[in-house]
Amino acid sequence: MKFAITGKLLSTCVLLLVTVSVARAQVTVIKAGTLVDPDSGTSTSNQVIVVESRKIKAIGPGLAVPANAVVIDLSRSVVMPGLFDAHSHLCYTSHPGRRDQFYLDLTETTAYRAIEGTKNAREMLEAGFTTVRDVGNNGRYADTALREAIEKGIVPGPTMINAGRIIAPFGGQYHIQPDRPELGNPEYLYADTRDEMLKAVRENIQFGALVIKIVVDDQKYIYSADDIKFIVGQSHGAGVKVAAHCMTTRGCRNAIEGGVDSIEHAFQVDDEVLWLAKDRGVVLVGTDFPEKAAEYLGQGTEFAKMFHGVFLDRLKRAYKIGVPMAYGTDAFFAAPGETRGTIAISYIDTFVEAGIPAKDITKIITTNAAKLLGVDNERGAIRPGQFADIIATPDNPLDNIQTLKKISFVMKNGVVIKR
Ligand SMILES: [Zn+2]
C-alpha cells in the first residue's frame, strides 16, 4: 500500500521530530578546576565544559551556564579525557588456582563468557577506561554481543573496537594433540593458506569484528611477511586495521614488513627491529606487565620477576628509540581484591619504573591509543564535537601519574557513570 504524504502532514511530522529532540536534549555543564590536554601535555584552569546529549558542545573559561543545565562541580579536581586500553580481553577471565587455565576456559560457553564480559566491561569503565580495543579470546563472538549491548545501552562498558576470533597458523596459541585438534576452536580461526586467510578475515568482519588480530609467531612455523601483507591488504581493503601478536624479533620484523598497524607484546624484539617499527610508524602495544600482575599468572615469583624484567627492558629500549606507543595491558585474569579495571591501570607502574615522564604516559594512554584505534576524530580529547568521555582525578596526571589509580568521576557519551 502506498501513502500520499501531503505537505501539511510532512511539516507536522518534521515539527513533531524537532519538538521531541529539543525536549530530550540534556545539557550538562562541568566546571573543571584544572583541565588536562594530553596531546600537548598542558593544562588550563577554571574551564567550563558544555555537554549536550552525548557530545562536547563548547569549552572555555567563564562560559555562561544554560538555564536548563545540570551542573557538575569538579572545580577541586583535575579533568581529562577518558583512558584507553588497546589490548583487552573482556570476555576472557583466567582465575587463580585453576589448573590448565587455557583448556579450562574452553569449557565455558560463549554465553557465559559474554556475561562475565559485562562484569569486566563495567569494572574497566569504573576505573576510567572509556574505550578499549578488545583483541580476541572471546569464544564464538561474545565480544560482538558485548559491544552491541554496550552500544545499545543495555549494559555499561567502554566503547569497544573488537577483534572477533584471532586468526593464527594451525594450533593458534595452543599446543594441541592429534586426537583433539578442535581444542583450539573457537578461540582461534586457523588460517594457513591464502584462501583460509581470506575467509577468516571476511568471516570475522561479517560477525562484527572492527579490527583483525593475528598471532604471528607462537609456533615453530610463523606467518611470513608475505602472508601478513595478504591479510593486511584484505583487512585494510575492508576498512579495518590489523593488530599482530608477535613475541620474537623475527615475528615482529615480519609483522612490520607486512604492514600491520600495531605489534602486540614484542617481548623479545631487538633494537634493530624497534628502529624499523619507528621508521614505519608501527605502534607498539607493549602489554608491559608490572611484577604484581605477572604474579597473578600463577607461575611463581621467580617467573614474575623474569617476565616483568623482560618487558621493562624492552619498554626502556623502545622509549629511548622513540617507537610510537599506545597503552595496552593484556589483563585477562582475576585477582583477589582487584577488579579488571584496577589491574589494567596498574600497568602504569612499569612505565614509571622505565623512567618515562608522566606527561608521555598520559599521552600514551589517551591520544596515542585513540589514533591507533582510528577513533581520534571522536574520542581521546576534550574539544567540541568529541563524544563526552571525561574523567576526573584528585591530582594532575602530568605531574603525578599515580593519580590515575584514584579516578573520582567518569562520564561516557555524556552519561555519568561514577561520581
Ligand atoms: Zn592478549
Side-chain angles (χ1 to χ4, degrees):
M1 196 191 292
K2 281 186 181 172
F3 291 98
I5 300 179
T6 64
K8 195 180 172 202
L9 181 62
L10 193 65
S11 61
T12 310
C13 291
V14 170
L15 188 69
L16 205 66
L17 280 172
V18 170
T19 314
V20 167
S21 65
V22 166
R24 280 185 186 165
Q26 163 77 58
V27 179
T28 306
V29 164
I30 297 173
K31 292 186 170 175
T34 303
L35 179 65
V36 172
D37 173 20
D39 193 18
S40 62
T42 57
S43 45
T44 45
S45 305
N46 299 321
Q47 299 291 312
V48 174
I49 306 163
V50 180
V51 175
E52 192 172 308
S53 298
R54 291 149 57 91
K55 290 189 170 179
I56 296 164
K57 197 182 175 198
I59 176 163
L63 288 185
V65 176
N68 61 336
V70 173
V71 178
I72 297 171
D73 185 2
L74 297 174
S75 55
R76 288 161 180 258
S77 301
V78 180
V79 173
M80 65 176 285
L83 309 179
F84 286 66
D85 183 348
H87 192 118
S88 72
H89 295 285
L90 294 181
C91 300
Y92 179 26
T93 303
S94 160
H95 294 273
R98 218 161 62 163
R99 267 186 66 236
D100 232 348
Q101 53 190 221
F102 288 100
Y103 287 87
L104 272 175
D105 272 321
L106 294 175
T107 65
E108 291 176 354
T109 62
T110 298
Y112 179 81
R113 292 173 67 170
I115 293 166
E116 207 166 37
T118 63
K119 176 178 180 285
N120 292 329
R122 177 173 44 77
E123 290 178 352
M124 287 294 281
L125 188 57
E126 285 170 353
F129 290 95
T130 50
T131 312
V132 303
R133 187 181 60 163
D134 199 75
V135 287
N137 293 123
N138 293 297
R140 206 169 289 280
Y141 300 98
D143 55 336
T144 299
L146 178 59
R147 173 173 63 72
E148 289 176 353
I150 290 170
E151 287 168 357
K152 288 174 186 164
I154 296 169
V155 294
T159 296
M160 284 175 74
I161 306 294
N162 65 306
R165 290 172 67 195
I166 298 171
I167 300 173
F170 182 71
Q173 293 184 272
Y174 297 153
H175 295 277
I176 49 178
Q177 49 106 331
D179 288 337
R180 303 295 305 277
E182 76 282 6
L183 273 178
N185 184 16
E187 295 302 282
Y188 300 91
L189 251 173
Y190 300 157
D192 295 284
T193 66
R194 295 294 155 90
D195 282 354
E196 287 166 351
M197 291 172 195
L198 176 64
K199 192 137 187 275
V201 169
R202 289 184 176 177
E203 188 175 312
N204 256 327
I205 295 172
Q206 179 62 233
F207 294 143
L210 301 179
V211 62
I212 292 295
K213 161 86 176 293
I214 58 171
V215 164
V216 174
D217 57 359
D218 272 16
Q219 304 288 349
K220 286 180 184 164
Y221 41 88
I222 74 174
Y223 277 146
S224 69
D226 278 345
D227 290 334
I228 296 166
K229 218 171 266 172
F230 179 79
I231 293 171
V232 168
Q234 295 303 323
S235 306
H236 284 182
V240 300
K241 295 192 177 194
V242 177
H245 163 114
C246 40
M247 294 293 201
T248 62
T249 287
R250 212 173 127 225
C252 290
R253 182 187 288 282
N254 286 359
I256 295 164
E257 288 178 348
V260 302
D261 299 280
S262 63
I263 49 173
E264 315 288 308
H265 316 298
F267 190 47
Q268 299 156 313
V269 68
D270 70 13
D271 283 2
E272 195 187 322
V273 172
L274 283 174
W275 275 106
L276 188 67
K278 188 196 175 184
D279 291 345
R280 303 275 176 97
V282 175
V283 178
L284 170 66
V285 179
T287 68
D288 308 281
F289 279 74
E291 205 171 309
K292 204 171 153 205
E295 277 175 24
Y296 296 146
L297 299 177
Q299 296 178 56
T301 47
E302 280 314 302
F303 167 83
K305 262 195 184 59
M306 181 280 295
F307 199 59
H308 164 66
V310 179
F311 278 104
L312 178 64
D313 170 66
R314 197 268 292 107
L315 181 56
K316 283 180 184 166
R317 290 187 287 117
Y319 180 75
K320 203 170 156 198
I321 288 168
V323 180
M325 288 194 260
Y327 192 81
T329 64
D330 202 22
F332 61 87
F333 35 86
E338 303 262 19
T339 71
R340 183 58 64 94
T342 61
I343 293 172
I345 196 60
S346 74
Y347 284 62
I348 58 173
D349 292 347
T350 312
F351 286 75
V352 172
E353 211 179 329
I356 298 176
K359 215 165 115 171
D360 291 336
I361 305 171
T362 307
K363 194 171 176 175
I364 286 167
I365 201 168
T366 53
T367 318
N368 291 11
K371 275 187 195 150
L372 171 64
L373 271 57
V375 299
D376 50 314
N377 283 333
E378 299 182 333
R379 303 180 192 276
I382 297 183
R383 62 167 184 262
Q386 289 252 324
F387 282 97
D389 290 353
I390 297 169
I391 60 171
T393 50
D395 291 328
N396 193 329
L398 298 175
D399 305 322
N400 171 21
I401 199 71
Q402 296 292 345
T403 198
L404 294 184
K405 293 178 182 167
K406 294 177 184 156
I407 283 162
S408 55
F409 172 85
V410 179
M411 171 182 271
K412 190 205 154 197
N413 286 350
V415 176
V416 177
I417 303 296
K418 178 180 177 178
R419 195 179 175 185

